[in-house]
Amino acid sequence: MSGTCVIGLQWGDEAKGKLVDLLTAQFDMVVRYQGGANAGHTVVIGDQTYKLHHIPSGILNEGVMNLVTPGVVLNPPTLLKEIDSLLERGVNVSSNMIISERAHVVCPWHLAEDRLLNDTPAAGESIGTTLRGIGPCYRDKVGRTYAVRLGDLYRDNFPERVREIVEAKNRLLASLSDDSEVKLDHEEICREFAGYAERLKPFVGDTTTLLLDAAESGKRLLFEGAQGALLDIDHGTFPFVTSSNSSGVGVCAGSGVPPKWINKVIGVAKCYSTRVGGGPFPTELENETGQHIRDKGHEYGTTTGRPRRCGWFDAVAVRYTARLSGVDCLSMMMLDVLSELPEIQVCRAYEIDGVEVNTFPAHVEDLRRAKPILETLPGWQKEITEVRSYDDLPENAKGYLNRISELVGRPVGVVSVGPDRAQTMFPGTILSDMGVQV
Ligand code: IMP
């Protein structure tokens, strides 16, 4: 079997969905293994744009099985809306998607907790979550006492369990707010969840056994990461991170596949950097150039609509996450967004307290003090969205990609110049040498 992973190397929103959709046809299964409705994966096919939150981007390829595995946290109404919207547009979801009964469920109390705690500063600044209940749901998963898994919705004792949890959560919510509106009603929640359970039933199954059977019988598996490695709970810019392992190290834990089956990793990065929410961002551009990148790249959140913070490409950060995720090659996205700039800068190292640093700091306060050491490269100032072959890119665009590759220490195997499947190039034979046909 061959297990290929697509991992975001920055703070999320690297256009992983586009790449997964492109590669899907060569795989038997596409697997989503962490995160939840905080993710927003956009796939553009012709004049159709699909926005997916839980469902793997492989769903748009008939004949590929899509798995949502135990590491994902599910928001049932959002998931059902996604399913309905795909069905309305003629996408076959019914026979090619299975959701793990082990996956945890985001419940109304998680949404309320996220809302009430969002303004509480962590390390002096609000995390600025997506308000999708992700942190509270993962907190209850690890805490166990108040956790709800998808399989629990089908058990006779579910109403009793909800009653107990709601009692405890109402006490917690009352301590966080003096607004009586936040009081939850367990009977109403049970009624609502009975409806979700009924509708989701055809999709629920044991993805762990399915995946292990597939791996052992030589099937080709594609793992689709959500968010980006810098948001990884253990290895990212803690505490300004999400609550799951969003770097390459999360694939096995979230999906239930042993490490020996993972043999190829594609790291996805934008040709610049973006970040949504709080936390340090050494190459951030709070000026006209940053606004230009935001406008040209439509850098507004797929899930929340928030404007994304924009900045230069940070090679210190991406070198770190490419190593952490075991990346074989880079997929460089949104190159076209930089086309109008006369000069482009790239961060090759940091200066912290007067010392040049080439490694990514572990502590958020050290990262806050990091000043980017920037190199300036000439821009190409030519429209490139119609370019279809890597050799036809302007020399300065290729020079920019080569420098990124040198600084990160990985070859560039994919270059994207627009949202459509057709706006993608594959330099040299890097991807095919990895056994991934394009
Ligand atoms: P949460 O995952 O909603 O708890 O948010 C934690 C942090 O991760 C916030 O800074 C979010 O903006 C960020 N985040 C979560 N999901 C995504 C994503 O899919 N793309 C970009 N940022 C994200």
Side-chain angles (χ1 to χ4, degrees):
M1 100 112 200
S2 91
T4 300
C5 312
V6 169
I7 305 291
L9 298 181
Q10 296 161 312
W11 282 285
D13 310 316
E14 298 94 349
K16 298 174 288 293
K18 166 176 168 164
L19 187 68
V20 170
D21 168 64
L22 262 171
L23 299 179
T24 294
Q26 306 166 49
F27 290 87
D28 300 300
M29 284 181 177
V30 180
V31 182
R32 190 53 211 279
Y33 56 87
Q34 45 76 224
N38 49 350
H41 293 172
T42 306
V43 182
V44 178
I45 303 172
D47 61 353
Q48 295 285 309
T49 301
Y50 300 86
K51 290 192 194 283
L52 303 166
H53 299 285
H54 302 86
I55 300 181
S57 306
I59 199 76
L60 302 168
N61 278 260
E62 184 82 31
V64 174
M65 180 53 81
N66 292 272
L67 302 185
V68 181
T69 59
V72 174
V73 290
L74 307 163
N75 178 314
T78 311
L79 176 58
L80 284 165
K81 257 192 225 145
E82 259 177 278
I83 293 174
D84 287 341
S85 131
L86 288 168
L87 289 172
E88 273 163 28
R89 296 160 84 177
V91 178
N92 175 15
V93 191
S94 312
S95 60
N96 61 4
M97 180 173 70
I98 314 247
I99 304 170
S100 175
E101 58 203 326
R102 292 180 172 93
H104 283 248
V105 178
V106 176
C107 298
W109 46 89
H110 296 134
L111 297 168
E113 283 174 47
D114 211 0
R115 212 170 43 242
L116 291 170
L117 288 170
N118 190 42
D119 291 332
T120 314
E125 192 184 349
S126 153
I127 294 173
T129 76
T130 60
L131 299 177
R132 297 301 185 268
I134 304 295
C137 182
Y138 277 117
R139 184 162 58 227
D140 278 342
K141 165 177 165 168
V142 178
R144 294 151 296 161
T145 315
Y146 302 124
V148 175
R149 305 207 294 179
L150 185 57
D152 296 337
L153 270 55
Y154 302 95
R155 301 285 153 169
D156 292 342
N157 68 348
F158 183 66
E160 179 53 20
R161 183 142 174 69
V162 172
R163 194 187 59 74
E164 283 168 12
I165 296 176
V166 165
E167 249 175 52
K169 291 291 182 179
N170 274 341
R171 284 195 298 273
L172 170 73
L173 295 175
S175 73
L176 296 173
S177 157
D178 35 41
D179 177 359
S180 57
E181 293 277 299
V182 295
K183 199 159 189 288
L184 300 164
D185 175 342
H186 72 92
E187 284 176 352
E188 195 182 315
I189 294 173
C190 282
R191 270 195 303 278
E192 191 185 321
F193 273 64
Y196 300 148
E198 166 94 27
R199 287 218 47 215
L200 287 173
K201 200 162 187 180
F203 300 102
V204 182
D206 178 0
T207 60
T208 308
T209 300
L210 274 169
L211 255 182
L212 292 173
D213 287 347
E216 287 163 10
S217 64
K219 294 276 192 313
R220 296 156 306 167
L221 310 179
L222 181 61
F223 296 87
E224 176 179 21
Q227 288 84 47
L230 294 170
L231 290 173
D232 187 290
I233 181 77
D234 291 307
H235 308 283
T237 53
F238 190 88
F240 302 99
V241 292
T242 190
S243 302
S244 63
N245 285 114
S246 50
S247 70
V249 304
V251 178
C252 296
S255 64
V257 152
K260 73 172 185 176
W261 297 122
I262 310 291
N263 42 22
K264 292 168 200 118
V265 184
I266 303 176
V268 188
K270 284 182 196 172
C271 291
Y272 48 92
S273 307
T274 64
R275 166 157 221 180
V276 225
F281 180 1
T283 62
E284 183 166 15
L285 290 165
E286 290 177 280
N287 58 16
E288 266 177 34
T289 310
Q291 187 58 42
H292 172 80
I293 293 175
R294 187 174 303 113
D295 291 342
K296 201 116 205 258
H298 309 291
E299 294 294 356
Y300 296 88
T302 317
T303 299
T304 59
R306 288 181 290 177
R308 296 180 184 137
R309 300 156 67 192
C310 297
W312 296 124
F313 185 84
D314 184 341
V316 184
V318 176
R319 188 160 60 232
Y320 164 61
T321 53
R323 294 175 69 200
L324 176 68
S325 301
V327 162
D328 295 298
C329 84
L330 298 172
S331 177
M332 296 304 305
M333 316 305 277
M334 323 273 288
L335 183 65
D336 55 301
V337 172
L338 302 180
S339 288
E340 286 168 34
L341 299 174
E343 286 182 335
I344 299 170
Q345 293 192 300
V346 48
C347 170
R348 65 161 181 83
Y350 299 145
E351 188 206 302
I352 304 179
D353 303 334
V355 177
E356 181 170 326
V357 173
N358 289 289
T359 50
F360 196 71
H363 201 284
V364 73
E365 295 310 330
D366 294 333
L367 188 61
R368 262 194 222 291
R369 294 200 313 288
K371 295 193 192 96
I373 301 178
L374 298 166
E375 276 183 20
T376 303
L377 288 98
W380 46 93
Q381 298 196 282
K382 242 187 232 147
E383 189 55 63
I384 56 171
T385 50
E386 300 300 322
V387 177
R388 293 292 175 267
S389 146
Y390 180 77
D391 292 337
D392 295 339
L393 280 174
E395 285 309 312
N396 287 353
K398 285 189 274 193
Y400 179 62
L401 293 170
N402 285 340
R403 187 62 186 137
I404 285 181
S405 169
E406 246 169 49
L407 289 169
V408 173
R410 295 291 188 279
V412 174
V414 184
V415 178
S416 171
V417 292
D420 201 83
R421 280 176 178 173
Q423 293 170 298
T424 323
M425 289 161 261
F426 304 93
T429 56
I430 295 158
L431 237 59
S432 46
D433 292 348
M434 280 171 62
V436 179
Q437 300 310 319
V438 284

